[in-house]
Amino acid sequence: MIYFDNSATTHPHQDVLSSFQKVADQFYANPSSVHSLGGEADRLLDRSRKQAAQLLNVEPQEVIFTSGGTEGNNMAVKGVALQHQSRGKHIITSAIEHPSVMEAFRALESLGFEVTYINVDRYGKINPDDIQKALRNDTILVSVMSVNNELGTIQPIKEIGNILRAYPKIFFHVDHVQGLGKIDLSIKDSYVDLCTISGHKIHGLKGTGALVVQRHVSLFPLLHGGSQEAEVRAGTENLPGNVAFVKALRLVSENTKEKVQALSGLRETLWQELNNRDYAIINSPEEGAPHILNFSIPGYKPEVIIHALGHENIFISTKSACSSKHPDVSSVLKACNIDYERTTSALRVSFSVHNTVEEVRTFLKILDKTVENLKATMG
Ligand SMILES: Cc1ncc(COP(=O)(O)O)c(C=O)c1O
């Protein structure tokens, strides 16, 4: 099997699974319980939070454990907007955000917020000057992803942070779900106020993740109830999930340079080879994230190619399944002004460190054969 769909989700690391199982088995008490078992669970939760904070270079009280990227993004975007609306109702995001940000903005629009959607260039990149120009007296939030999930475009987070630094009343949220472990991002040095990360994209478990919320930021909670997670996320903590998430975070933080180099090597090989093929057009920027390569095979439905590759035990994906209401068009590629034929025939390959150059070569061989067969049958 060749699994090249790591931006959708990754294979959980064995150590992550062991951590989960051990904690679920041995620390099942509720951390809020006053008895000694509850105390032990609470101490383990504290320890995990401290470790996460250390790995992310933030303070423990700035780490809110979540169920993943979608929750973190909703918590940040809606939480800031609802909490600070008395100061202004203008919020800013880009035209190519993940649906968990985009739809949160649309929901806020329906509640009376005014949204500016910043346009991107041909490769999905934001010009920081456009953010500067969009700022108003009533702006309270800017939300930009660090790495686009379809194209792998890396956004100029540090530059945007530097602009927003001069506006302490505007909160800066970064969806770092695709960037974690792949690109450098210092939350503090980039003046990021809120940062979303997700466990299952880094060989952790589905249903785990964190939102980093800097101390000076207050949020309107999405979930009301108990006082867990600094009173912004009520509900009994997922202690085994949180410990497993921190394990994944630790693992992704080890030897990052070597891992990024390995991923870049795979991407470079695929890039060079696809560039030599008449049937493929690369959509990703050359200077993109090391694990994502998006390309189109005009004239062929991506689903047909994905199914044909699936028969050969090769797994890649089309545009993010939830990124467009229209089943065929990638809204991300459309926002990049890429023509209709290419926006409807885009494929995404996304690597993990478990992939090899041999797999890339096998993939290319089978892709060539698949396109040849399709050409023959379609005439
Ligand atoms: C950029 C980005 N943000 C957010 C999410 C949502 O994360 P989760 O699946 O953990 O809810 C994804 C998932 O694909 C993503 O790629």
Side-chain angles (χ1 to χ4, degrees), residues 7-9 66-73 96-101 145-150 175-179 196-201 205-209 292 320 322 348:
S7 282
T9 196
T66 66
S67 66
T70 299
E71 184 188 333
N73 285 342
I96 62 161
E97 295 299 308
H98 186 266
S100 54
V101 165
M145 68 203 323
S146 62
V147 168
N148 180 265
N149 49 303
E150 288 190 38
D175 171 356
H176 192 40
V177 168
Q178 292 292 343
T196 303
I197 51 181
S198 171
H200 73 106
K201 311 285 188 183
L205 299 177
K206 283 135 193 98
T208 67
I292 298 178
S320 147
C322 39
R348 178 185 70 182

Side-chain angles (χ1 to χ4, degrees), residues 29-101:
N30 190 322
S32 300
S33 291
V34 290
H35 51 65
S36 61
L37 292 183
E40 277 175 25
D42 196 37
R43 281 192 292 281
L44 180 56
L45 183 63
D46 267 0
R47 212 161 56 231
S48 311
R49 199 183 307 282
K50 279 193 188 120
Q51 288 168 352
Q54 206 173 23
L55 291 163
L56 295 165
N57 206 12
V58 298
E59 300 299 320
Q61 62 269 39
E62 294 173 330
V63 176
I64 306 294
F65 287 118
T66 66
S67 66
T70 299
E71 184 188 333
N73 285 342
N74 272 271
M75 186 188 277
V77 170
K78 292 178 187 165
V80 163
L82 296 177
Q83 182 73 7
H84 300 279
Q85 56 184 315
S86 61
R87 269 210 337 259
K89 291 185 112 179
H90 178 235
I91 52 182
I92 298 173
T93 193
S94 89
I96 62 161
E97 295 299 308
H98 186 266
S100 54
V101 165

Side-chain angles (χ1 to χ4, degrees), residues 78-370:
K78 292 178 187 165
V80 163
L82 296 177
Q83 182 73 7
H84 300 279
Q85 56 184 315
S86 61
R87 269 210 337 259
K89 291 185 112 179
H90 178 235
I91 52 182
I92 298 173
T93 193
S94 89
I96 62 161
E97 295 299 308
H98 186 266
S100 54
V101 165
M102 203 58 115
E103 294 304 319
F105 269 80
R106 296 216 195 283
L108 289 167
E109 234 172 349
S110 76
L111 294 177
F113 285 83
E114 206 184 320
V115 180
T116 299
Y117 297 96
I118 302 290
N119 283 327
V120 293
D121 73 8
R122 148 71 189 85
Y123 291 106
K125 198 148 183 165
I126 293 173
N127 181 344
D129 291 346
D130 291 341
I131 301 264
Q132 172 90 65
K133 282 182 211 146
L135 299 178
R136 309 189 326 204
N137 283 337
D138 60 344
T139 307
I140 54 168
L141 171 69
V142 174
S143 179
V144 173
M145 68 203 323
S146 62
V147 168
N148 180 265
N149 49 303
E150 288 190 38
L151 287 169
T153 311
I154 301 170
Q155 298 297 5
I157 297 300
K158 199 160 186 187
E159 288 87 330
I160 297 170
N162 257 323
I163 292 172
L164 295 176
R165 191 182 160 190
Y167 302 85
K169 289 193 167 168
I170 300 177
F171 296 112
F172 183 25
H173 168 243
V174 173
D175 171 356
H176 192 40
V177 168
Q178 292 292 343
L180 183 61
K182 315 299 189 318
I183 63 157
D184 260 350
L185 173 70
S186 160
I187 295 174
K188 301 268 182 202
D189 293 347
S190 301
Y191 304 96
V192 173
D193 297 304
L194 305 107
C195 182
T196 303
I197 51 181
S198 171
H200 73 106
K201 311 285 188 183
I202 55 164
H203 303 284
L205 299 177
K206 283 135 193 98
T208 67
L211 177 69
V212 173
V213 184
Q214 301 268 352
R215 251 174 308 178
H216 62 277
V217 184
S218 60
L219 294 178
F220 189 86
L222 293 187
L223 300 176
H224 290 93
S227 59
Q228 295 92 345
E229 298 299 320
E231 299 190 12
V232 293
R233 185 187 196 256
T236 302
E237 297 91 341
N238 175 9
L239 181 58
N242 297 344
V243 171
F245 170 67
V246 177
K247 172 70 84 177
L249 196 55
R250 178 178 301 289
L251 291 169
V252 82
S253 312
E254 285 169 0
N255 307 320
T256 312
K257 221 172 162 180
E258 289 79 3
K259 288 177 190 161
V260 166
Q261 234 163 31
L263 291 171
S264 302
L266 299 176
R267 186 179 188 263
E268 181 63 25
T269 305
L270 182 58
W271 183 290
Q272 299 291 351
E273 290 291 335
L274 285 176
N275 233 357
N276 290 335
R277 281 157 169 84
D278 290 340
Y279 64 74
I281 306 177
I282 295 173
N283 299 317
S284 290
E286 201 158 356
E287 300 292 313
H291 63 309
I292 298 178
L293 187 57
N294 187 303
F295 62 99
S296 293
I297 305 187
Y300 301 98
K301 281 198 164 151
E303 289 77 11
V304 174
I305 296 189
I306 285 168
H307 288 311
L309 291 172
H311 283 304
E312 305 280 344
N313 251 349
I314 295 178
F315 303 97
I316 67 166
S317 78
T318 173
K319 68 189 163 65
S320 147
C322 39
S323 68
S324 169
K325 293 229 167 67
H326 193 291
D328 290 329
V329 180
S330 157
S331 59
V332 172
L333 271 61
K334 198 166 165 231
C336 299
N337 274 324
I338 292 177
D339 67 58
Y340 183 78
E341 212 178 351
R342 272 164 71 189
T343 59
T344 52
S345 59
L347 296 160
R348 178 185 70 182
V349 167
S350 49
F351 299 119
S352 85
V353 283
H354 304 305
N355 295 128
T356 62
V357 174
E358 289 70 45
E359 287 182 329
V360 175
R361 301 218 178 277
T362 306
F363 163 71
L364 285 159
K365 220 185 302 171
I366 294 177
L367 184 65
D368 286 344
K369 200 178 79 189
T370 302

